[in-house]
Every structure is written in C-alpha cells, then in structure tokens.
Amino acid sequence: MKIKLMRKREGVYNEVRKERTDERPIEAATVPEYLVFPLNMHIGAPANPIVEVGDKVKIGTLIAEKKGNISANIYASVSGEVFDISDQPTVKGIAPCITIKNNYKEEWEEPFYSENDKLTVTQMKEVIDKAGIVGMGGATFPTSVKLSPPSGTRIDTLIINGAECEPYSTADHRLMVEHAVELIEGVRILARILDVNQVYVALESDTHDSAEEMKKIIDQEDHIDIVELETIYPQGSEKNLIKKLTNREVPSGGLPADVHTVVVNVATALAVYEAIHLRRPSIERITTVSGEPIKEPKNLRVRIGTPISYLIDDCHGFCTNPGKMIHGGPMMGTTINSGRIPITKGTSVITFLEKGEALRSDRTSCIKCSECLNVCPVSLQPILISQAYENGDLDKAERLGALDCIDCGNCSYICPAKIPLLDNIRAAKKEIRSRQEAK
C-alpha cells in the first residue's frame, strides 16, 4: 500500500482517503436472493445452528444459538427458506455457514422479546445478549459480556468509540451524523446498565459535524462529554482511547475493566438502541465500500449475510481493475479474494486498492532504524517479537508482549525493510493462544 505515512510518537498521520464518502448519506443496499450467515462471525465459539434445510424463516428468526459465554446468537435478516448448511468462504477462511433463500416478502417475526418498557438492568443485559449484539467496530466481542464485569469490579467510565481512524472508513461518521438521536439513546442505556457517572463520546477532529449533531442532543446532560481528538492512527484503539481520556493504562494482558472502564463502538451503541427500543435483534449494519477502483463509493445499510459482490454492484462496479480487496481498512484489514464472502456484524468497511497501491516491495534485512518501536502505540518492540517468532522462540515472543499487540499495523507500514512484522506478530499470537488453550 502506498498510503503516505508521517510518523509521530505512538502513531502515524496517514493520508486520509475519506473524501469520496464522508458526505455521502447512508443508502439501503440491495437485498440479494441468497444470503450467507457464517456461524463464526463473532469472536469466541461459533454459534450452533438450530434450523435445517427447508425450514421457513422470517426476518428476526433465530437460526443459530450462542454456544458458551463468549459467543453470540445469529438471526435471519430476510424472510424465506433455509437453502443450505455447509462450509463456505468467509473472511476467516472456509467455515460452516447457513444460506437462506430470500422470498422477498419481508415477513417479520414478532418482536424478539415481549417487554416494551421499564426493563430492569438485568433484563436489558439479557435482551442485549439475546439480540446477538457484538462489537461492531470489528472486534466482534459479545457486548453483553462487556456489560457484565467480574464480581467486585467497579466500572466508573464508559467510552463510546467514534474515532474511525482507518483511511477509507466513514460508516461510523455517517452514523453519528444521521442517527445521533438514536445513538445517544443507546449511550444512555449503556450508561444506565453500567451505572457510570462519566461517559465520553470520542471522535476525531476531522468529523466535527458529527460532534455538533450530538452536542445538540446532550446539551443538558453533564455526565456525557463529546471529545474531539487529534486525527492520528490508531486513535480508535481501545487502550489508546482509555489512556488519552482517563490517563489510565490497561495492564499487560489485562482488559479495560481492570481500569474501571468499558469501551463500546458507536455502531454497537446504535444496535443496543434498536434492541431495547425497536425490539429487534442484530440483523444489519452500516458499511463503507470505498477505494480508488470503485466507481461510486458509498456508505450502505446492509443486511447481515449479503455477499460483497452485491455491494460492488450497488457502487456501479469498478472504474479501474482492483489490485486488492480488503475486509476492513488497509491498516488492519484482511485481504480476501472472493466476492462471495458475506458481510457480517463486524464489517465496517470494504476497501479496494489499485494494482499499484497493492504492490509490496521486496523484503530486505532490518536496518535497525527503530521506526517500528517509535510508532507502536502500545510501546512494544515489533522487530524483536517478529524475530523471536521467525526463530521459533514463542516463549520469547510472549515475554516481549506479543499478546498486547493491538494489530494496528503501524510497524509493518513504516518498516523500510518491508519485513512482515504484523503478519509475524499475528501468527505468534495465534500460536501462543493455541498453546495456552492446550494446557
């Protein structure tokens, strides 16, 4: 990728490419005939399918149940019939999926819970759990688990994350501009559940219009602060936001709850509003489709399960042949090679790069410039972790804090020797976690 980077301690100023979509209103995406629901679309255990081929479903029918504590329910986003249950290409590779054939009748299930108001805090958490809501900024961690900290852990601060720092992504920006009322109501629900006195809604300074929209709504609420932060990558990382807003540091291997804080993405807060007030589960999300090769980049409201190829058609195809398709942004995203891969709850942006942008220079030897250390926002030594992994020394990689890496990709993009630092660190993390689970 040839996006220009300018180094700053603990981050980079990258060349923002949001101008083609940041003022484009959200449009409804085409709803396809076949939608594909990966059972592993969240972090943790894949959901367990509870439908069979031939079963009739409506919008909001539960098709796969969460399995274990770290998991999430999956609901049909169209009415129709279960067409297939088999392995399909997903952003995580080939994995079990449920395919539903759309009958285009737009039949809805009854509201997925019967209570309409005066829910207790416990009941609201149960609704959020049942709705299958996960972190929609990309982490896909079950939200109900975040809202249930360990016994004895006091949460006093809620951070709503609207700092959308990937170069092409504008889905959260448009959400904050166009759905500020619903978003802030979701924030109030979350604040009530956590019983916190301080809420920060954090966004970057280049989305000032969204800050203005939200300030109009919270004018009389002293405990909610809209905070405009410097536009720098990765401003939106959880640990960065906590440090910036509270001066608290999440300990190595720890969680935000360890410093009395919970961080929730703006899209997740909107999903919470929809679950509590509209009584519907998580069945759609806002996704940016952008990049130079796309003829007409857009922000689209997409049904979960929609194959990416339909979004390309909604954007009228390509003006130049793309060199790379990325699920996510160019800094943290995953390269994919099939338009059959479906949109999931964690898909905030699909990015296309031109062939020239996608070219990677040949790797050379480390020149000991220390740039990867300088730009690491969590103060790791990426080159040393990478070398430990390549030498097969997982113990050393773990001692160097590989598991604390936030996958921002700054190190790889700044590296003049083109060493695949992030790839190596991700691989090290995967092997370390596998080893821990095997014990």
Side-chain angles (χ1 to χ4, degrees), residues 37 50-51 55-64 73-80 82 100 107-110 112 281-283:
F37 301 82
I50 59 168
V51 291
D55 284 355
K56 306 297 183 188
V57 299
K58 297 179 180 179
I59 301 172
T61 299
L62 180 64
I63 57 174
N73 290 336
I74 298 173
Y75 292 83
S77 60
V78 293
S79 58
V82 177
I100 294 177
E107 299 166 310
W108 279 79
E109 290 282 1
E110 292 296 318
F112 84 112
S282 182
I283 58 166

Side-chain angles (χ1 to χ4, degrees), residues 10-32:
E10 299 179 349
V12 296
Y13 297 112
N14 57 28
E15 188 178 352
V16 176
R17 303 279 181 86
K18 299 176 187 281
E19 68 280 357
R20 294 183 74 194
T21 55
D22 62 357
E23 294 186 0
R24 293 192 71 107
I26 300 164
E27 298 180 26
T30 297
V31 184

Side-chain angles (χ1 to χ4, degrees), residues 10 46 67 88 104 109 135 144 182 188-189 254 292 419 431:
E10 299 179 349
K67 189 165 59 181
Q88 302 284 337
Y104 291 101
E109 290 282 1
S144 60
E182 299 95 325
R188 294 182 181 121
I189 294 167
E292 301 308 318
I419 299 170
E431 291 192 23

Side-chain angles (χ1 to χ4, degrees), residues 205-438:
S205 56
D206 61 350
T207 56
H208 182 68
D209 54 346
S210 47
E212 291 301 304
E213 290 297 324
M214 289 186 286
K215 284 176 181 175
K216 295 175 190 172
I217 299 165
I218 61 159
D219 188 44
Q220 302 299 320
E221 295 172 72
D222 293 338
H223 68 294
I224 302 179
D225 290 325
I226 308 296
V227 183
E228 296 182 61
L229 300 170
E230 184 180 27
T231 300
I232 186 173
Y233 183 86
Q235 189 67 275
S237 79
E238 209 169 59
K239 292 180 180 178
N240 268 18
L241 282 181
I242 294 171
K243 174 66 175 174
K244 191 86 64 175
L245 295 169
T246 69
N247 201 31
R248 301 168 182 172
E249 289 195 23
V250 178
S252 176
L255 297 169
D258 294 330
V259 291
H260 316 294
T261 306
V262 165
V263 182
V264 175
N265 175 265
V266 290
T268 311
L270 180 65
V272 167
Y273 162 82
E274 292 174 339
I276 300 296
H277 283 275
L278 305 183
R279 294 192 291 162
R280 72 182 197 191
S282 182
I283 58 166
E284 64 181 11
R285 66 153 301 128
I286 299 166
T287 299
T288 302
V289 182
S290 190
E292 301 308 318
I294 283 286
K295 188 173 289 183
E296 190 176 343
K298 293 183 177 181
N299 299 296
L300 295 168
R301 181 180 293 277
V302 187
R303 302 280 179 97
I304 303 300
T306 301
I308 291 170
S309 58
Y310 282 83
L311 307 190
I312 297 171
D313 290 342
D314 281 338
C315 295
H316 306 295
F318 302 110
C319 49
T320 59
N321 289 329
K324 182 182 283 190
M325 176 167 59
I326 304 171
H327 181 275
M331 299 300 286
M332 291 185 70
T334 301
T335 300
I336 52 178
N337 56 15
S338 172
R340 293 172 56 200
I341 290 175
I343 297 300
T344 63
K345 298 173 187 176
T347 311
S348 59
V349 56
I350 300 294
T351 309
F352 294 88
L353 300 181
E354 293 178 321
K355 289 183 178 178
E357 294 176 304
L359 289 176
R360 297 185 69 166
S361 303
D362 292 337
R363 173 179 175 170
T364 62
S365 299
C366 175
I367 61 172
K368 297 182 172 53
C369 65
S370 302
E371 287 295 296
C372 61
L373 284 70
N374 293 333
V375 298
C376 179
V378 289
S379 301
L380 297 178
Q381 301 174 83
I383 184 61
L384 298 184
I385 298 173
S386 173
Q387 289 172 344
Y389 171 74
E390 291 188 339
N391 292 332
D393 193 345
L394 286 181
D395 289 334
K396 185 175 181 180
E398 187 173 2
R399 286 198 304 275
L400 288 167
L403 295 180
D404 290 323
C405 171
I406 61 171
D407 291 11
C408 71
N410 274 354
C411 54
S412 283
Y413 287 107
I414 205 80
C415 177
K418 304 305 176 188
I419 299 170
L421 298 169
L422 178 59
D423 291 345
N424 284 342
I425 295 171
R426 279 177 168 167
K429 289 165 67 177
K430 185 177 180 180
E431 291 192 23
I432 291 168
R433 287 188 176 126
S434 296
R435 191 173 64 173
Q436 290 175 341
E437 291 170 3

